[in-house]
Amino acid sequence: MEKHMRGLALLAGSSLMVIGTSAAAQTLPPPASPSASTETAPATAAADPATDATGGDIIVTAQRRAQSLRDVPIAITVVNGQSIRETGANQLADITQRAPSLNFTATPGVPNFAIRGVGTNSFDYGIESAVGIAVDDVNITLPRYVPLNSLADVERVEVLRGPQGLLFGKNTTAGLISITTNRPQLGEFSSNGRVQAGSRDQVQSQAVVNLPIGDKAALRVVGGYQYQKPSTELVGPGRLDPVRRYFGTGKLLWEPTDRLSLYAIVDYQNNSGIEAYSTIRNFGGNDPTPIPLALRPFAPANFVRAQNTALGVVASPTNNKTAIGSTNVLRDERSFGAQLSASYDAGPLTVTSVTAYRDLHARANNDVDQTPVAFFDTNIANSQSYQLSQELRVSNNGTSAVDYTAGLYYFRQHIDAQILQAGTFGILPASVPVRLSPVQGQSNFDYGTNSYAAFAQLTFNLTSSLKLIAGGRYTRDEIDSTTTVTQAPGVCNLIVFALSGGRSCIGALPAPINRDRNADGFSARGGVEYALAPTANLYATYTRGYKGPAVSSAAGVAFDVDPEKVDAYEVGGKFDLLDRRVSLNLAGFINNFRDFQAQVFDPALNGGLGSFRTGNASTLKTRGVEAEASVRPARGITLSGGVTYLDTEYGNYNVACYFGQTAAQGCNLPGPSFNARGTPLVGASKWTTSLAADFQQPIGDDLKVFVNADWRYRSRFLYAINDPNTIQPGYSLVNATVGIGDIGDHARVSVFVRNLFDKRYAAAIFPGNFSAGQYVQTLPDNAFRRIGGAFEWRF
C-alpha cells in the first residue's frame, strides 16, 4: 500500500509540475473567451433533453469539455439534482424515473445499473460493471458499491448511452453515469438544506454551507443523515436492522490566479442496515439437496415449505414476509474518498490533473436457506478494497480548426475479500456449535489490478456546419489473483462429515489458485456531425468499446473471464423547435458485443449445491431507438418525456437449465445445460417510457406554488436467461409533489408521494437453493408507497 501511495504521489507531483511549468512559461495575455475546461466551465441542467426551464442551453461535460447538450454527438439524458430531490428521492438509483434508457437492479448486496439493457450483475468481486459511474471527474469501480446514497448537493447527473471508455476511464462498454456536484462559490456565504419525513419511519436530512475564504478561495461543507425501516416484514426470530446512513463532504476551491484552479474534495460515508430483503415467490416441490434424507434428520423433505407455512408465509409475487431468523442479516459499509483537481489555463490550451483515492470496508451476512432453521444460515462476506487513479489531460480552449482532448491515465485497485458459507445442513441440530461448510472453511480472494492508458479525441471543424470526429485509447490491464481456502474455527467439511457419519471433520484443504491475466485493449471512436441550423444537429458515430479481463472466483475455484468488446453504431438528431419551446432528441443504435461478461449459476460448484460465477457469452446483440422531448408551453411549465425500444439476443452461450425445462426446450447438453442462442438479454425490457411535468406559478407578490410529477413504465422482462419462472410483468411507477414557497426560494414546504399506486414489483427473482421449483424475490423499498413531507431552505 505504501509503495502504491508513493507511486501515486510521484504521478500527481509530475502532473502538478507540468501545470506549474506551463504557468511559469506563460506570457500570452488571458484568452478572451472562458476556458473550456471541465473544472472551470459553468453548468446548468434540467430534466429535459436540450434546454433548461428558461430555454437556455444546458451545458454538459460528456466530452471532457463544456459544451451545449445539443452540440454533443452522444445520446445523453440530463437529470437536474433539485428536480429529483423534490420528489422525495433518497439515492442515486432514483434517477431512473426520469431516464428511460437507465435501469437499476437492487439485488441485495450487488447493486447494478444497466443502460440500454446492458449491465453486469455479478457477485464476483473482481468483475467491473459495464456501466461506469464517475463522480466529479473520477471513475468509481469499488466492488458492490454505489456512491452518493443521498442526492445532497448534486448539481446534475448525465446519463451517457453507449461505450464511453475512450474519455472516461475504463470498462464503460454500456455507458456512463456522470455525476457533477456543486462547486464552492467564491465570495459567497450561503446555506441550503432539506429535511423530510415519510412513512416507514423515514427521516432524511441534509445541509450545505458555503464559506468564502478571502477573494480567491471558498469552502463548501455538506452533511446528512438518513434513517428508515426495512420494507420487508420479518416473521419468526432474527433481525433486519433499519437503514442508517451518515455522510459528510468537504470541498475547497482555490483560484490563486485567473488561470490556475485547485479543487480538493474529501468525503466519508457510513451505511448500515437493510432496505429490503428476499422473500419466497413460490414454493417448490421435491427437495433437491444432494445430502441423503437419512443423513439429515433435522431438516426433512420439503422443510422450506413446512417452516415458512408454519409462520404464515404465503408464497406469491407480492409476498413481503420473510422467515429467515436463525441468524441476523447484516450489511455495513464505510467509504472514504479524497481527490485533488488542478487546472491551468495556458491560453491556447488547458492542462488538467486529477488525482484520486477511495477505499471501502464492507461486511455482510445473508441467510441462504429462506427458513428460520440453521440449515444454511451463514453467508458472511467481508471485503477491504481501495482504488488509486491519476489522470493528466490537455484540451484546447475555445474553438479552432481542430479541437482536441488527450491524456494519460493510471489506475490501481486492490481487493481483499473473505467469504464463509456454512450451516447445519440438517445433519446437526441447531444447538450444536459446529457448522458445516461445502468448501471446508473460509474462501479468501486477493485481487489486484493495474491499468495504464493513453487517449486522444480530435474534432475537425471542416466548415461551420460540418465536423468529423476521430479518437482512440490504448489500455494495458495487468491482473493478479490468488484464491485460497483456510480452516475456520468450529467449521467442518460438509462432505467429509456426512460420508463418515460424523467420525471425521476435516479433509485436505485445496491448494491456492494463482491467476495472472494481462491484456491490451483498444477503444476507438469516429463520426460525423452536421448542423442543419443553429438549433438542429445530426450525427452518426462508430465506437469500439473495451472491458478488461477478469478472474471469477467462486466456491474456492477460479475461472478466467476474457475481455469484453463491443462495436457500437449510433445515428441521431437534436432539435430545438418553435422558438426553442420544443426540444426533441432522437437516436438509433446497434451494439454488437463479443465475449460479453455475464453471470451464470453453476450447479457443479459447492459440492453440488451450486454457486454463481461469471463467464463469457460468445456474442450479444442489442439494437433500438430512443426519443426524448420537452415542451415549454408557458413560463413556469415544463413537460418532458422519453421512450426507448430495445431488441436484444444472445449468441452461443451455454448456461444451466432452468427448473422444468425439457430436452425438447433445449435442455439436452451436459450439466445439464442449454444453448441460450437467440434468447433475450436478462433484465432488458422491450419498451421503457417516462413522462414528467414541472409547474411553478406565483401566488400574489410573495409566494409561489410548485407541482411536479413523473411516471415511468417498463414492459415485461426476465431475471434469468429464458426462465419463464423469473418473468417480471410490466409495471408503472408514479411520483408526485406539491408545495409552496416564497418567490425567492428561501423557504419551501411540500408534501410528496412515491409509488402513488403502491405497485409491487421485484428487483430480483432467482431459484431457491433447497427446493426444486422454489423461486425467491426481492421487493425493493420503492415497490411500496411512501407519503411524506419536506422543508427546504436556502439563503
Side-chain angles (χ1 to χ4, degrees):
M1 175 67 180
E2 182 180 353
K3 177 181 70 175
H4 299 305
M5 290 299 290
R6 286 201 304 268
L8 185 68
L10 179 61
L11 283 167
S14 300
S15 303
L16 292 173
M17 187 180 297
V18 171
I19 295 173
T21 303
S22 299
Q26 180 55 243
T27 59
L28 296 174
S33 60
S35 166
S37 160
T38 299
E39 285 72 22
T40 60
T44 59
D48 54 72
T51 60
D52 66 15
T54 63
D57 283 354
I58 291 179
I59 303 301
V60 297
T61 53
Q63 297 191 115
R64 290 298 179 99
R65 59 174 62 238
Q67 294 175 285
S68 167
L69 174 62
R70 185 179 52 253
D71 295 332
V72 178
I74 300 172
I76 308 172
T77 301
V78 182
V79 181
N80 177 280
Q82 175 64 23
S83 68
I84 193 67
R85 282 192 297 270
E86 285 179 352
T87 66
N90 60 22
Q91 55 187 324
L92 180 61
D94 292 326
I95 66 173
T96 58
Q97 193 71 4
R98 298 198 177 197
S101 290
L102 179 68
N103 291 312
F104 180 75
T105 301
T107 307
V110 193
N112 173 57
F113 283 101
I115 292 177
R116 292 174 171 170
V118 179
T120 306
N121 188 10
S122 174
F123 290 96
D124 275 297
Y125 285 97
I127 307 295
E128 294 184 18
S129 176
V131 176
I133 297 178
V135 182
D136 288 324
D137 233 13
V138 175
N139 277 48
I140 309 296
T141 64
L142 296 177
R144 308 186 183 186
Y145 176 65
V146 174
L148 291 179
N149 287 300
S150 171
L151 291 171
D153 211 36
V154 170
E155 178 193 309
R156 71 182 186 277
V157 180
E158 301 172 24
V159 180
L160 284 59
R161 281 115 61 191
Q164 303 298 325
L166 175 60
L167 294 177
F168 282 92
K170 56 200 298 287
N171 292 349
T172 56
T173 48
L176 177 81
I177 302 171
S178 180
I179 303 160
T180 301
T181 67
N182 290 301
R183 294 161 61 88
Q185 299 297 308
L186 298 180
E188 175 185 298
F189 174 79
S190 62
S191 175
N192 68 81
R194 177 183 174 93
V195 177
Q196 75 177 45
S199 46
R200 297 190 299 285
D201 290 346
Q202 187 204 52
V203 176
Q204 181 172 310
S205 61
Q206 56 200 42
V208 182
V209 177
N210 192 95
L211 300 170
I213 305 175
D215 298 331
K216 299 182 181 297
L219 175 66
R220 193 174 184 90
V221 180
V222 185
Y225 169 74
Q226 181 181 340
Y227 174 93
Q228 66 187 54
K229 287 185 176 179
S231 57
T232 309
E233 181 183 350
L234 178 65
V235 294
R239 190 177 73 224
L240 295 177
D241 288 335
V243 171
R244 291 182 174 88
R245 294 174 177 147
Y246 309 83
F247 64 91
T249 303
K251 310 175 192 178
L252 178 63
L253 176 64
W254 181 35
E255 296 183 348
T257 72
D258 292 339
R259 297 179 179 272
L260 179 62
S261 173
L262 300 174
Y263 183 27
I265 305 175
V266 295
D267 71 86
Y268 175 79
Q269 298 183 43
N270 188 314
N271 305 325
S272 64
I274 307 294
E275 281 191 355
Y277 200 69
S278 53
T279 65
I280 295 179
R281 189 176 182 90
N282 56 271
F283 289 120
N286 295 327
D287 192 330
T289 177
I291 305 171
L293 183 61
L295 296 180
R296 49 183 179 87
F298 299 100
N302 299 320
F303 75 97
V304 176
R305 179 191 292 267
Q307 291 284 336
N308 279 271
T309 302
L311 291 170
V313 174
V314 178
S316 75
T318 59
N319 170 34
N320 194 40
K321 293 182 178 180
T322 187
I324 59 170
S326 60
T327 187
N328 293 328
V329 171
L330 171 70
R331 196 165 299 133
D332 296 317
E333 62 182 28
R334 295 180 290 108
S335 176
F336 169 79
Q339 69 182 75
L340 173 64
S341 300
S343 179
Y344 183 74
D345 182 347
L349 58 85
T350 293
V351 183
T352 302
S353 168
V354 182
T355 308
Y357 168 85
R358 179 167 294 278
D359 63 30
L360 173 67
H361 296 264
R363 299 185 304 152
N365 186 29
N366 299 314
D367 189 307
V368 180
D369 57 48
Q370 295 296 139
T371 72
V373 302
F375 191 92
F376 196 168
D377 66 333
T378 300
N379 186 21
I380 298 172
N382 297 328
S383 66
Q384 308 82 42
S385 55
Y386 72 85
Q387 67 173 65
L388 304 166
S389 63
Q390 171 62 52
E391 184 173 58
L392 177 65
R393 66 177 184 269
V394 294
S395 300
N396 69 295
N397 290 330
T399 300
S400 59
V402 180
D403 295 332
Y404 61 86
T405 297
L408 300 172
Y409 181 76
Y410 168 72
F411 175 86
R412 166 67 181 172
Q413 181 169 269
H414 189 265
I415 304 166
D416 282 319
Q418 306 82 40
I419 296 178
L420 175 62
Q421 296 181 318
T424 67
F425 290 93
I427 298 172
L428 300 170
S431 58
V432 174
V434 174
R435 289 296 181 261
L436 308 176
S437 168
V439 297
Q440 185 159 306
Q442 178 175 281
S443 297
N444 308 287
F445 310 105
D446 187 296
Y447 200 93
T449 302
N450 282 292
S451 184
Y452 313 84
F455 61 91
Q457 178 171 293
L458 307 176
T459 300
F460 299 91
N461 300 299
L462 302 183
T463 70
S464 60
S465 300
L466 181 63
K467 300 178 181 180
L468 295 181
I469 304 158
R473 184 187 189 99
Y474 167 78
T475 301
R476 170 70 174 178
D477 287 316
E478 298 175 353
I479 297 171
D480 56 89
S481 170
T482 302
T483 301
T484 61
V485 177
T486 56
Q487 180 60 40
V491 176
C492 290
N493 186 302
L494 168 62
I495 305 302
V496 171
F497 190 90
L499 295 181
S500 68
R503 292 185 297 274
S504 298
C505 178
I506 303 299
L509 289 171
I513 301 174
N514 297 306
R515 284 280 199 279
D516 293 330
R517 302 292 311 277
N518 299 325
D520 299 300
F522 185 70
S523 303
R525 188 163 187 254
V528 58
E529 183 180 2
Y530 182 74
L532 292 173
T535 58
N537 287 348
L538 301 176
Y539 68 90
T541 60
Y542 161 77
T543 306
R544 169 72 179 276
Y546 167 80
K547 185 167 179 275
V551 176
S552 175
S553 299
V557 183
F559 302 87
D560 289 341
V561 182
D562 293 331
E564 175 181 296
K565 303 178 182 68
V566 59
D567 293 306
Y569 307 87
E570 181 171 310
V571 295
K574 300 183 180 184
F575 312 93
D576 288 340
L577 308 170
L578 300 178
D579 196 26
R580 297 165 67 93
R581 290 183 179 274
V582 176
S583 298
L584 175 65
N585 294 346
L586 303 172
F589 59 90
I590 298 174
N591 294 339
N592 295 326
F593 288 84
R594 285 169 290 153
D595 293 318
F596 178 67
Q597 296 175 359
Q599 180 166 283
V600 297
F601 183 79
D602 190 335
L605 297 176
N606 255 341
L609 297 175
S611 181
F612 288 97
R613 68 173 180 87
T614 305
N616 291 97
S618 62
T619 61
L620 170 69
K621 294 182 179 180
T622 68
R623 45 197 170 263
V625 293
E626 301 164 324
E628 292 182 319
S630 67
V631 181
R632 292 166 293 280
R635 186 174 181 82
I637 301 175
T638 301
L639 307 174
S640 58
V643 59
T644 296
Y645 170 78
L646 181 65
D647 182 46
T648 67
E649 65 175 41
Y650 289 105
N652 289 321
Y653 184 29
N654 292 347
V655 296
C657 294
Y658 55 83
F659 172 73
Q661 187 178 12
T662 65
Q665 293 171 319
C667 184
N668 51 22
L669 300 177
S673 62
F674 73 101
N675 191 331
R677 181 181 179 86
T679 61
L681 174 64
V682 168
S685 296
K686 276 195 174 294
W687 292 96
T688 309
T689 59
S690 67
L691 290 174
D694 295 278
F695 172 87
Q696 294 190 44
Q697 289 296 318
I699 304 175
D701 297 329
D702 301 322
L703 300 175
K704 66 178 178 180
V705 64
F706 61 93
V707 178
N708 66 55
D710 55 49
W711 166 81
R712 188 173 195 260
Y713 167 75
R714 288 189 69 182
S715 64
R716 56 176 280 176
F717 58 93
L718 294 160
Y719 273 116
I721 297 177
N722 215 38
D723 185 348
N725 303 289
T726 66
I727 291 176
Q728 168 58 55
Y731 64 92
S732 296
L733 296 178
V734 177
N735 304 321
T737 302
V738 60
I740 190 170
D742 68 293
I743 291 292
D745 278 333
H746 299 298
R748 310 203 313 173
V749 178
S750 61
V751 293
F752 65 86
V753 57
R754 297 189 61 79
N755 193 352
L756 174 64
F757 299 106
D758 204 26
K759 177 61 181 178
R760 300 289 184 269
Y761 68 96
I765 304 172
F766 50 93
N769 291 75
F770 303 107
S771 182
Q774 173 193 335
Y775 281 82
V776 179
Q777 65 192 358
T778 299
L779 304 182
D781 181 75
N782 281 345
F784 300 85
R785 181 191 295 121
R786 171 171 280 125
I787 300 173
F791 171 72
E792 298 176 78
W793 74 89
R794 182 183 302 275
F795 64 84

